[in-house]
Amino acid sequence: MNSLKSNSSKQSCKVKICGTTSIHDACLAADAGADYSGILVDVAASERSLSTSQAVEIASTSPIPTVLLLYNRTTSDIHEAVSEIRPFAVQLLGTETPQQVEELRHLVTCQLWKSVYLPAGNPANFKKGVDIPAVREQIQAYCDAGADFLLFDSADISVDPPRYGGTGKTCDWNVAAELIAESPLPVFFAGGIRPDNVKSVIETIAPYGIDLCSGVEASKGVKDKQKLAHLMEQVEKSQNP
């Protein structure tokens, strides 16, 4: 894909704290210095999923921009959710096509983010499990359709059904770095990020931003103030070695 271009210019790494389940946790993320708060709505596979009314309450109060996460919803459903919740961005987590992204581009005024998945598992087996040309085509197609950001996350194909995102597992950082360096869109990176490895993630992969959930939790769906502080300290160290 020769039309892919580099976005590797030096910049401050953004931080999205996902799986927000309360106004309190949105404020914790903001106080720690995070840039975005992610809220899942009606995502059956996630233990952190909220109702539309709960999301409206958090999004309207959060001190930082809200990213609404939806999974395999119809275009009209997505449009309705965006109209009710009024997020800064909507992130499509499933198998939504570039055609659907293009349809949404004409319907919503918020940013459109699209998740792209790389396999999680034994590092020795990563690369042979990644069809890099196919992922490049995906990236370009979503760019052409009007997506604003991409988010690389890990897919756990060792379970049935496979789990896409929220795995707490890493993918191949070298493959991710290669694809992110070529991407025409800014890319957030997720999957197994924790305060103790985030500095290495940023230095190795150089993403536009990082996205994590379980790595800064006290328990499932509840954020930990100390872990958030430690995370942001390490992000700062990665920017100012």
Side-chain angles (χ1 to χ4, degrees):
M1 300 291 292
N2 293 330
S3 59
L4 292 176
K5 60 180 183 291
S6 173
N7 67 347
S8 59
S9 57
K10 182 69 175 176
Q11 60 191 347
S12 176
C13 185
K14 304 297 183 184
V15 177
K16 172 171 166 269
I17 302 300
C18 205
T20 301
T21 59
S22 68
I23 294 169
H24 176 265
D25 282 3
C27 291
L28 279 185
D31 290 346
D35 299 283
Y36 304 96
S37 170
I39 300 176
L40 295 99
V41 171
D42 295 332
V43 179
S46 175
E47 307 86 349
R48 304 170 183 89
S49 183
L50 304 179
S51 66
T52 297
S53 60
Q54 289 172 312
V56 168
E57 183 180 7
I58 297 171
S60 64
T61 310
S62 174
I64 51 178
T66 294
V67 179
L68 167 63
L69 287 82
L70 302 175
Y71 181 81
N72 282 350
R73 303 273 287 274
T74 66
T75 300
S76 60
D77 281 348
I78 296 168
H79 185 205
E80 183 177 349
V82 167
S83 298
E84 289 187 55
I85 299 167
R86 303 177 66 84
F88 171 80
V90 59
Q91 181 181 334
L92 306 176
L93 297 172
T95 56
E96 301 87 0
T97 64
Q99 290 75 22
Q100 187 174 19
V101 171
E102 189 170 2
E103 290 172 8
L104 288 165
R105 183 74 287 162
H106 297 293
L107 290 174
V108 302
T109 56
C110 69
Q111 288 196 354
L112 289 172
W113 298 16
K114 181 67 186 81
S115 293
V116 173
Y117 293 97
L118 301 174
N122 185 333
N125 297 328
F126 280 158
K127 192 147 189 171
K128 64 184 180 183
V130 182
D131 185 344
I132 292 178
V135 178
R136 285 186 177 128
E137 289 183 10
Q138 258 192 309
I139 291 170
Q140 189 65 55
Y142 287 121
C143 175
D144 293 342
D148 296 290
F149 287 84
L150 297 177
L151 190 140
F152 286 6
D153 204 345
S154 58
D156 186 358
I157 57 176
S158 69
V159 296
D160 186 21
R163 178 155 184 156
Y164 294 91
T167 65
K169 297 183 178 181
T170 60
C171 67
D172 187 316
W173 290 3
N174 293 322
V175 170
E178 177 183 338
L179 292 166
I180 286 172
E182 299 174 342
S183 175
L185 292 174
V187 179
F188 279 78
F189 183 74
I193 299 176
R194 307 176 303 276
D196 62 1
N197 69 3
V198 68
K199 184 171 180 287
S200 294
V201 168
I202 294 170
E203 292 172 347
T204 302
I205 300 173
Y208 174 85
I210 53 110
D211 183 333
L212 69 160
C213 179
S214 60
V216 287
E217 287 185 328
S219 59
K220 202 158 284 188
V222 179
K223 297 298 183 281
D224 183 286
K225 183 177 181 178
Q226 283 70 40
K227 289 180 181 178
L228 282 165
H230 185 202
L231 173 83
M232 298 308 297
E233 287 170 6
Q234 294 303 307
V235 171
E236 178 66 24
K237 285 181 180 179
S238 76
Q239 308 299 293
N240 300 288

